[in-house]
RNA sequence: CGGGCUGUAGCGCAGGGGUUAGCGUACAGGUCUGGGGGACCUGGGGUCGGCGGUUCAAAUCCGCCCAGCCCGACCA
C-alpha cells in the first residue's frame, strides 16, 4: 500500500481537547474520525486494525464451536415487549415507527433477536448447546456521552450467545469463554483486570467484567490488595463501620427547608453517618423505599438483586406526591400496603439515626431500627468505597477507575422463559434453555490498546493487531533508490505501507512513530551501497542493519510469529 | 435534562461596528534539499454555524435556533 494513496494522511494539528489522549492519537494518525456526538467513522487504517482484531476474536470463538451470524440492528418492538426489556432499558432504547405505524427499536444489544432466531430455527434439545456470535452495531442513546471511543452512542460489539440444556452445561461452558477472552486481551497487550459485576439491564444472574484501569473510565472497581477480591462498585461488598451508641428515646425535630443530607448535617450538627436517608425507586414491584445511611449511596444493582425485580430508576417528585409522599422528608415510616421498604444492614445495625418524618419540615432523631421503624427486607443495598474492609479477609480495600472492554453474563433462563423459547428433553419435559451472553466493545478495546500501548511519539501497536507489519521509507530520491524501494514494496505487498511522499526524512520518521507500525524499514544511499537496509523496532526502539536480500525472509518470519497482516 | 465555554479556509487559530477578513499549516505547480515537522518562488481556496433584529455600516452588538466541547445530574 502506498501512503500517498492512503485516505487520509496524518494531521499536524489537533483540537486542544484531543491533545494527549488515545483518541487524539487515533485521529491524528488517520485511524478514526468523529462525525457527531458519540458517532465515529473508521478510516482505512482503523478498519485494518478492526479487521485484525475481528479475526483474532473470531478465531477464539470458533475454537469454542461458535458460528458467526448477523441479526438485524433494527428489531420489532414486540420482541422487546416480550422480554420486558422495553421498560428495563429505559431511555437508552431508541424507538421509532415505520410508515405503517409498526413500532421498532434500534437494538442496544441483541439477546432478543438471538433468542427469536433460535425459537424460529430449532425444534429439538438435541441441537443444544449452540453458540452464536456476531460483530454488529449497537445503538444506545446514552445519558452522558464522552468524547472518544470510550462511550459512544453507536458502536460495534462482538456479541456471543450460548444456549444450554442445563445450568451445569452453562457453568461448564462459561469458563471457556472467560479464558478465550483472557487470551484475546493478552494478545492485545492490555493490562486487564476481571471484576464481579452487576447485570444492569441485561437481566440474568451473574456477570464478570473485563476492565482496564484508567482515569478516563467510568466504572469504579473495588479491590482487596490482600486476598484479590475484585468487584465493580455496583455490587462490591465490604464491612461497613457501624454507629453503635446507647439507644436514646426518639424525638421529633423541626427541620424547615432541610431537604438534603448536607442541610441536616448543618442544621442538626450530626455527622452524615448519623443520618439515614430514604430513597424512592420505581421498580418491577412498584414503589420501593430504600433506606441507607447518609454517608452511603444506594446501589440500584444490589437493590434490584435483593428485590428480585428490575429497578427502573429514582421516582420523580411528582410521582412521590401522587403517592402521598413528601420529597425531602421521606421516611421508613412511610411503609404501608404497596410500598416496600428495604433497609440497609448498616442502618439496621446502627443506633440513634436521624430519619425523615414523612411530613414537611420534620425529622426524627435517635431512631433505632426494630424499635422505631421496620423494613420488609434488611439487606446490603449500599455502595462501599476505598477503605472499607474486605468481607473475606478484613484488609482495607482500594478503589480504581477503569474502562470496561468485555463483559460476560450468565443469563440463566431469563430470556428463554420470558420469550417462550423451549424444547422437550429426552423425557418429554419442557425445558427453557439456559443462556450466556458475551460481549467485547470493539471501539473501546482499540482505544484502550492505544491508551496502554503508546508513548510520547505515538501509537505502539502490538504486532498482532497492527494495520501493517512494516513501514517502508527511503532517504534520497535517486532512480536506483526508487527502484530498490519499489521492488521491496512489491515483494512485501499488503504487509508493508510504503511512504512514497516527497517529504523531509524527519516528517516520515515522525509519521512512522505516530502510526505505530511495528517495524520501520529504511533505505538510504549509503546503506544501499552496503547492500543493506535499516530496521527499527517500534516497541523497543532497537535499530539494526539487515541485508536487502533478507528483508522478505524477515517479514515472513514476523508473519509466522504474529499472524498474517 | 441543567450550567459554562466555543463555532471565522481541509485542520489549528487570530481579529471583535468602518478599505479587498488575516496567520500557521495543509493543498496544487516549480527549483533546490535529504537521518527527526527544510528553504525559496508561484497559485487556488471563505454564504465568518443558521435565522432574525439594531445601525448609514455587522464576522464584530442584541435575540432566538442549531452544532460541538467541558462539568453536573434527581442520593430526598
Amino acid at each position: 500500500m502506498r501512503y500517498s494513496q492512503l485516505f487520509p494522511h496524518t494531521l499536524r494539528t489537533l483540537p486542544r481537547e484531543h491533545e494527549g489522549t488515545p483518541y487524539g492519537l487515533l485521529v491524528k494518525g488517520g485511524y478514526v474520525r468523529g462525525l457527531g456526538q458519540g458517532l465515529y467513522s473508521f478510516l482505512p487504517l482503523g478498519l485494518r486494525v478492526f479487521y485484525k482484531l475481528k479475526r483474532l476474536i473470531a478465531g477464539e470463538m470458533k475454537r469454542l464451536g461458535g458460528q458467526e451470524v448477523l441479526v438485524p440492528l433494527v428489531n420489532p418492538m414486540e420482541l422487546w415487549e416480550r422480554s420486558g426489556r422495553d421498560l428495563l432499558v429505559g431511555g437508552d432504547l431508541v424507538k421509532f415507527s415505520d410508515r405503517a405505524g409498526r413500532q421498532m427499536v434500534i437494538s442496544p444489544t441483541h439477546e432478543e433477536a438471538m433468542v427469536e432466531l433460535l425459537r424460529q430455527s430449532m425444534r429439538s434439545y438435541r441441537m443444544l448447546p449452540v453458540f452464536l456470535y456476531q460483530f454488529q452495531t449497537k445503538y444506545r442513546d446514552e445519558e452522558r456521552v464522552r468524547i472518544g471511543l470510550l462511550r459512544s452512542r453507536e458502536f460495534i460489539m462482538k456479541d456471543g450467545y450460548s444456549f444450554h440444556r442445563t445450568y451445569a452445561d452453562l457453568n461448564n461452558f462459561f469458563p471457556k469463554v472467560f479464558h478465550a477472552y483472557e487470551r484475546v486481551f493478552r494478545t492485545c497487550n492490555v493490562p486487564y483486570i476481571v471484576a464481579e459485576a452487576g447485570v444492569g439491564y441485561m437481566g440474568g444472574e451473574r456477570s464478570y467484567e473485563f476492565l482496564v484501569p484508567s482515569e478516563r473510565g467510568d466504572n469504579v472497581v473495588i479491590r482487596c490488595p490482600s486476598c484479590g477480591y475484585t468487584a465493580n462498585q455496583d455490587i462490591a461488598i465490604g464491612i461497613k463501620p457501624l454507629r453503635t451508641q446507647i439507644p436514646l428515646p426518639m424525638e421529633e425535630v423541626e427541620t424547615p427547608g432541610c431537604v438534603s443530607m448536607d442541610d441536616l448535617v448543618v442544621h442538626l450538627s450530626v455527622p452524615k453517618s448519623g443520618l439515614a436517608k430514604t430513597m424512592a425507586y420505581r421498580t418491577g414491584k412498584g414503589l420501593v423505599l430504600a433506606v441507607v445511611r447518609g454517608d452511603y449511596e444506594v446501589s440500584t444493582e444490589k437493590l434490584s438483586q435483593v428485590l428480585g425485580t428490575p429497578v427502573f430508576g429514582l421516582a420523580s417528585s411528582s410521582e412521590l406526591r401522587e403517592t402521598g409522599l413528601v420529597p425531602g422528608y421521606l421516611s421508613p415510616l412511610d411503609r404501608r400496603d404497596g410500598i416496600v421498604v428495604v433497609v440497609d444492614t448498616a442502618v439496621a445495625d446502627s443506633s440513634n439515626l436521624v430519619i425523615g418524618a414523612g411530613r414537611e419540615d420534620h425529622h426524627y432523631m435517635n431512631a433505632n431500627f426494630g424499635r422505631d421503624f421496620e423494613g420488609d427486607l434488611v439487606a446490603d443495598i449500599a455502595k462501599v468505597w476505598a477503605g472499607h474492609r474486605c468481607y473475606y479477609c478484613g484488609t482495607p480495600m482500594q478503589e480504581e477507575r477503569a474502562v470496561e472492554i468485555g463483559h460476560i453474563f450468565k443469563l440463566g433462563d431469563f430470556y428463554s422463559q420470558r420469550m417462550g423459547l423451549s424444547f422437550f428433553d429426552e423425557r418429554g419435559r419442557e425445558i427453557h434453555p439456559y443462556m450466556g451472553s458475551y460481549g467485547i466493545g470493539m471501539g473501546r478495546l482499540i482505544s484502550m490498546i492505544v491508551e496502554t500501548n503508546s508513548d510520547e511519539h505515538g501509537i505502539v501497536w502490538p504486532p498482532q493487531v497492527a494495520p501493517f507489519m512494516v513501514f517502508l521509507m527511503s532517504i534520497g530520491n535517486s532512480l536506483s533508490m526508487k527502484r530498490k524501494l519499489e521492488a521491496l514494496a512489491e515483494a512485501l505487498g499488503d504487509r508493508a505501507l510504503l511512504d512514497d511522499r516527497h517529504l523531509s526524512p524527519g516528517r516520515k520518521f515522525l509519521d512512522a512513530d505516530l502510526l505505530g507500525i511495528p517495524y520501520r524499514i529504511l533505505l538510504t544511499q549509503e546503506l544501499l551501497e552496503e547492500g543493506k537496509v535499516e530496521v527499527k523496532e517500534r516497541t523497543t526502539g532497537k535499530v539494526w542493519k539487515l541485508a536487502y536480500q533478507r528483508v522478505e525472509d524477515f517479514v515472513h518470519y514476523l508473519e509466522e510469529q504474529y499472524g498474517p497482516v
Side-chain angles (χ1 to χ4, degrees):
Chain A
M1 177 88 211
R2 289 165 178 276
Y3 194 85
S4 62
Q5 284 160 21
L6 183 69
F7 172 84
H9 292 174
T10 54
L11 299 177
R12 281 187 89 164
T13 48
L14 267 182
R16 268 191 281 268
E17 62 266 23
H18 297 157
E19 211 59 71
T21 68
Y23 175 66
L25 286 178
L26 286 166
V27 170
K28 207 170 173 191
Y31 287 91
V32 298
R33 202 124 305 173
L35 184 64
Q37 203 181 50
L39 304 171
Y40 298 92
S41 306
F42 276 87
L43 306 178
L45 272 181
L47 212 47
R48 286 181 77 103
V49 174
F50 179 89
Y51 285 139
K52 289 194 78 172
L53 260 182
K54 183 175 171 180
R55 194 170 56 199
L56 173 69
I57 297 168
E60 290 290 347
M61 296 302 105
K62 283 177 195 155
R63 275 172 61 170
L64 299 179
Q67 300 178 65
E68 187 169 348
V69 295
L70 189 62
V71 299
L73 171 63
V74 172
N75 287 189
M77 173 68 118
E78 182 254 328
L79 276 186
W80 287 71
E81 286 166 351
R82 257 167 47 206
S83 71
R85 288 213 301 168
D86 53 334
L87 300 173
L88 195 48
V89 175
D92 278 10
L93 186 64
V94 174
K95 304 164 187 173
F96 66 97
S97 43
D98 68 11
R99 63 172 77 206
R102 281 179 290 251
Q103 293 293 304
M104 310 296 257
V105 305
I106 307 180
S107 295
T109 160
H110 283 98
E111 279 75 7
E112 280 76 3
M114 287 286 179
V115 169
E116 186 62 12
L117 183 62
L118 236 73
R119 231 170 59 90
Q120 293 167 340
S121 323
M122 300 194 71
R123 298 279 19 117
S124 165
Y125 74 91
R126 288 174 205 278
M127 298 169 95
L128 295 180
V130 63
F131 180 32
L132 304 175
Y133 69 93
Q134 63 174 351
F135 294 83
Q136 171 64 305
T137 300
K138 317 281 179 238
Y139 191 91
R140 298 181 184 173
D141 195 358
E142 299 276 357
E143 277 184 21
R144 179 91 151 85
V145 180
R146 275 167 203 275
I147 192 163
L149 264 26
L150 294 183
R151 184 165 292 278
S152 52
R153 294 195 289 195
E154 182 179 311
F155 60 99
I156 299 174
M157 181 187 264
K158 189 292 298 184
D159 43 330
Y161 305 86
S162 70
F163 299 85
H164 309 265
R165 279 172 66 187
T166 62
Y167 209 102
D169 194 48
L170 170 60
N171 276 337
N172 182 42
F173 185 71
F174 201 75
K176 293 180 184 170
V177 182
F178 187 105
H179 290 122
Y181 271 37
E182 290 199 296
R183 285 192 293 274
V184 168
F185 297 139
R186 264 201 300 271
T187 303
C188 293
N189 200 34
V190 288
Y192 68 94
I193 55 176
V194 182
E196 293 177 29
V199 294
Y201 60 57
M202 302 303 287
E205 290 141 33
R206 245 192 130 70
S207 84
Y208 296 90
E209 281 174 333
F210 294 82
L211 308 113
V212 179
S214 165
E215 279 309 303
R216 274 178 270 273
D218 43 27
N219 290 282
V220 176
V221 176
I222 306 289
R223 301 170 84 173
C224 171
S226 170
C227 73
Y229 171 71
T230 306
N232 191 299
Q233 191 180 34
D234 291 340
I235 62 140
I237 55 175
I239 300 168
K240 288 175 266 187
L242 302 177
R243 168 188 166 96
T244 45
Q245 303 174 342
I246 296 166
L248 299 170
M250 184 165 83
E251 54 176 311
E252 188 166 17
V253 288
E254 291 203 9
T255 51
C258 293
V259 295
S260 74
M261 290 297 111
D262 290 330
D263 297 337
L264 285 171
V265 167
V266 173
H267 186 77
L268 298 174
S269 304
V270 173
K272 276 195 177 177
S273 59
L275 309 172
K277 61 182 172 190
T278 305
M279 310 291 300
Y281 288 89
R282 286 178 290 111
T283 78
K285 290 180 177 167
L287 208 58
V288 168
L289 298 180
V291 187
V292 299
R293 251 184 21 205
D295 49 342
Y296 282 87
E297 284 187 16
V298 175
S299 159
T300 50
E301 191 64 43
K302 287 182 177 178
L303 184 62
S304 165
Q305 284 182 14
V306 166
L307 292 167
T309 191
V311 172
F312 303 125
L314 276 169
S316 66
S317 295
S318 51
E319 282 171 301
L320 292 181
R321 290 205 180 81
E322 280 166 28
T323 328
L325 299 175
V326 186
Y329 297 91
L330 293 179
S331 170
L333 299 170
D334 291 325
R335 178 172 171 242
R336 55 181 134 102
D337 272 359
I339 301 182
V340 174
V341 171
V342 184
V343 175
D344 183 59
T345 48
V347 168
D349 296 337
S350 294
S351 40
N352 298 336
L353 298 171
V354 175
I355 61 171
R359 63 192 183 99
E360 207 77 41
D361 297 339
H362 289 81
H363 281 79
Y364 288 110
M365 292 184 78
N366 301 324
N368 287 275
F369 178 75
R371 185 191 72 185
D372 305 316
F373 63 97
E374 296 280 352
D376 298 274
L377 290 164
V378 175
D380 171 30
I381 54 165
K383 288 182 186 173
V384 296
W385 59 89
H388 279 78
R389 291 184 181 277
C390 175
Y391 178 81
Y392 299 99
C393 74
T395 310
M397 297 191 292
Q398 301 166 347
E399 70 177 55
E400 189 169 24
R401 297 191 79 81
V403 174
E404 174 194 336
I405 51 174
H407 204 159
I408 58 179
F409 297 83
K410 277 189 197 173
L411 298 173
D413 57 4
F414 181 91
Y415 290 91
S416 47
Q417 286 278 4
R418 287 160 173 246
M419 298 186 67
L421 172 67
S422 66
F423 308 113
F424 290 100
D425 71 7
E426 62 269 52
R427 273 174 268 169
R429 288 180 309 198
E430 189 178 27
I431 55 161
H432 295 280
Y434 297 93
M435 188 175 169
S437 92
Y438 318 92
I440 295 178
M442 300 295 282
R444 274 199 195 165
L445 178 54
I446 289 172
S447 188
M448 291 317 290
I449 291 172
V450 172
E451 177 162 336
T452 55
N453 293 270
S454 54
D455 58 22
E456 66 273 28
H457 302 295
I459 304 171
V460 186
W461 290 112
Q464 291 89 343
V465 298
F468 291 93
M469 198 55 80
V470 170
F471 183 92
L472 194 56
M473 61 170 280
S474 70
I475 298 172
N477 261 329
S478 71
L479 208 57
S480 60
M481 170 87 74
K482 255 187 182 157
R483 263 197 224 115
K484 287 277 193 188
L485 192 68
E486 297 280 346
L488 208 48
E490 180 98 1
L492 297 181
D494 201 38
R495 297 168 290 186
L497 180 62
L498 168 64
D499 192 348
D500 56 342
R501 296 173 297 175
H502 298 286
L503 292 177
S504 70
R507 289 282 298 284
K508 294 184 184 180
F509 289 143
L510 287 163
D511 277 346
D513 288 347
L514 171 63
L515 292 175
I517 295 167
Y519 295 91
R520 185 186 80 194
I521 292 183
L522 170 68
L523 274 69
T524 69
Q525 203 57 49
E526 289 158 27
L527 284 161
L528 222 50
E529 279 159 17
E530 290 179 64
K532 296 199 164 152
V533 302
E534 179 190 284
V535 182
K536 183 174 182 191
E537 193 170 49
R538 183 68 178 89
T539 43
T540 59
K542 255 193 336 204
V543 177
W544 66 90
K545 287 181 184 175
L546 182 70
Y548 179 88
Q549 310 298 344
R550 295 207 45 222
V551 171
E552 228 180 312
D553 290 343
F554 173 66
V555 176
H556 186 69
Y557 160 80
L558 293 176
E559 217 171 15
E560 288 191 340
Q561 203 77 5
Y562 303 118
V565 172

